[in-house]
Amino acid sequence: MGTVNVKVLERHQKTFWEKSYIPEISRGLGVTVKQFFKNLSPNKEKRDTFTIQYPEAGTDHYAERFRGQHRLMKREDGQVRCVACMCCSTICPANCIHIEAAEHDDPSIEKYPKVFVIDELRCIVCGLCVEACPCDAIRMDTGTHMAPRTDRTTAFHQRDDLLKKGGISIATRAGQKALASKSS
Ligand code: SF4
Ligand code: SF4
């Protein structure tokens, strides 16, 4: 049997101050206190905070695909694009879209939504309604997030309010390339 070379390492013996942890705790607290006062600075540029007081406050830096509040798009003549097909309300997992269809005077359109209400408090912002819509009639690209509210009735967004946020869409159906205008 060969001999085994064992290297004996000398253990680092902690000093009294190291064992007490007082210097390290003080150093850590120093960093915390420094950041605390830095982030209280009235000059926002000097702060290191990257959080926002959501949902009370918003931000200008929404991602391009951010799903904000809904809007209903219009035809070129200003009429609502929605044809009350119920695809969005059927797919909505929160069951928060209520549509009442009515017959359109134009037989090529057939139906339009006499009533179109979204309960934004129940909405889970999944975007499935937008995906399901065959007419580019509903979008969530407003860049506006839902503000907190104390009155529940203000969460019901009616058709005409949704239309006010919407712009003209000239998207074409049947899988053709959508040429849709975007309005804020
Ligand atoms: S985003 Fe989702 S939950 Fe909200 S209305 Fe559309 S389908 Fe319903
Ligand atoms: S918004 Fe689109 S999916 Fe929903 S009812 Fe109107 S046309 Fe159909």
Side-chain angles (χ1 to χ4, degrees), residues 75-125:
R75 296 167 195 271
E76 278 172 281
D77 60 5
Q79 288 187 73
V80 60
R81 270 188 79 89
C82 173
V83 292
C85 69
M86 309 288 177
C87 282
C88 56
S89 57
T90 304
I91 204 164
C92 176
N95 197 20
C96 61
I97 305 178
H98 173 72
I99 302 168
E100 286 175 29
E103 241 178 78
H104 201 285
D105 296 335
D106 183 346
S108 69
I109 297 177
E110 287 187 23
K111 290 188 294 174
Y112 76 99
K114 193 171 69 171
V115 177
F116 192 112
V117 188
I118 299 181
D119 180 351
E120 296 280 0
L121 269 188
R122 286 177 71 173
C123 173
I124 55 167
V125 204

Side-chain angles (χ1 to χ4, degrees), residues 21-37:
Y21 293 103
I22 290 171
E24 293 309 309
I25 290 172
S26 309
R27 210 149 62 101
L29 283 175
V31 172
T32 306
V33 170
K34 190 177 141 203
Q35 286 304 118
F36 174 76
F37 284 107

Side-chain angles (χ1 to χ4, degrees), residues 51-76:
T51 50
I52 55 168
Q53 299 295 319
Y54 183 86
E56 284 80 8
T59 170
D60 297 331
H61 309 294
Y62 288 117
E64 213 169 292
R65 295 181 64 196
F66 171 77
R67 297 188 197 117
Q69 282 181 25
H70 297 84
R71 61 180 178 138
L72 281 179
M73 304 303 290
K74 298 174 198 155
R75 296 167 195 271
E76 278 172 281

